[in-house]
Amino acid sequence: MIKIAVLVSGSGSNLQALIDANLSGQIVGVISNKPEAFALTRAQQAGIQTAVIEHRQYPNREAFDDVMHQQLLDWDADLVVLAGFMRILSEKFVKAWEGKMLNIHPSLLPYYKGMHTHQRVLNTGDVLHGCTVHYVTAELDAGQALAQGVLKVSHHDTVDSLAMRVHSLEHVIYPQVVEWICSGTIQHTEDGVLYRNEKMQEPVQFCKF
């Protein structure tokens, strides 16, 4: 059984979606850099171990990441899922978990890496928007995309309405990708990422128009 650790900083709605999905893998622990994060309450209510590792208590990013890395090893984690974790990770940490760490980004990567994606989509006048689950690499939002939730932008949409609509898609596609990894449907190999035993060329797309 795949052992999953989730890294959080906030309310933990994506964590809740993972808990509710009844994955074939096991969520063995949740780490937060913020002791007040409601995600910790969600984990505790589900009987999942938690750890608070406050980044401000460490002299630099690497020292903080080293403590997180050790906690993940103590939990014997096979997969690390970033779910609203608001810290940039050190290159050393990312390399240690490369091929075993996922993130979800609120855009159709490779478009709109970084912040303020909903406003940028509205500014550009794009017809389509959404979110992308991808492997984490040292380059920001550049790891291989595994799945995308795609929606049509309405002329009535605002930043807030787009954020809400994209967030609802995140709750669908993130648990699905994690389950695919748990079941071996997606595999990270030396020769690339396999989906149903064939090399993945494009992310799987889920559409909600």
Side-chain angles (χ1 to χ4, degrees):
M1 180 181 288
I2 295 286
K3 295 180 179 179
I4 304 159
V6 184
L7 275 53
V8 299
S9 296
S11 69
S13 65
N14 270 313
L15 168 63
Q16 190 65 57
L18 293 168
I19 292 170
D20 293 343
N22 294 315
L23 301 165
S24 59
Q26 180 187 7
I27 302 175
V28 294
V30 172
I31 295 174
S32 177
N33 63 313
K34 294 186 176 182
E36 71 276 13
F38 184 65
L40 294 168
T41 300
R42 294 182 190 271
Q44 290 158 3
Q45 289 175 344
I48 299 168
Q49 292 186 69
T50 61
V52 175
I53 304 173
E54 295 188 65
H55 58 276
R56 292 190 183 92
Q57 295 184 356
Y58 298 89
N60 53 51
R61 194 184 311 279
E62 289 73 18
F64 168 71
D65 285 359
D66 284 347
V67 176
M68 280 206 306
H69 177 71
Q70 186 57 56
Q71 180 62 72
L72 294 171
L73 293 180
D74 289 347
W75 283 336
D76 199 21
D78 301 302
L79 180 68
V80 178
V81 178
L82 306 183
F85 185 66
M86 304 306 291
R87 295 289 299 167
I88 295 174
L89 298 166
S90 64
E91 185 173 351
K92 176 184 174 184
F93 183 89
V94 171
K95 286 188 173 179
W97 294 95
E98 194 161 335
K100 299 177 181 179
M101 184 158 55
L102 300 177
N103 187 37
I104 191 160
H105 181 73
S107 80
L108 300 176
L109 293 173
Y111 301 104
Y112 306 113
K113 297 178 181 180
M115 303 289 285
H116 310 300
T117 60
H118 310 307
Q119 185 64 65
R120 290 156 70 189
V121 164
L122 290 174
N123 290 348
T124 309
D126 288 4
V127 174
L128 300 178
H129 186 34
C131 49
T132 306
V133 179
H134 63 95
Y135 278 117
V136 177
T137 61
E139 184 180 349
L140 179 67
D141 300 328
Q144 180 155 351
L146 304 175
Q148 293 181 322
V150 184
L151 55 79
K152 190 172 183 178
V153 180
S154 163
H155 65 278
H156 297 298
D157 269 317
T158 63
V159 169
D160 288 342
S161 68
L162 271 184
M164 183 174 63
R165 295 176 65 205
V166 169
H167 215 48
S168 69
L169 275 177
E170 291 181 13
H171 298 161
V172 174
I173 72 168
Y174 216 178
Q176 180 62 78
V177 172
V178 172
E179 178 56 34
W180 279 339
I181 291 173
C182 291
S183 66
T185 302
I186 289 179
Q187 300 177 58
H188 189 282
T189 74
E190 292 182 358
D191 297 323
V193 178
L194 303 181
Y195 173 67
R196 302 190 189 279
N197 297 317
E198 294 188 3
K199 194 165 185 179
M200 178 175 273
Q201 304 295 335
E202 301 288 341
V204 179
Q205 289 196 330
F206 299 79
C207 296
K208 183 179 180 182
F209 291 156

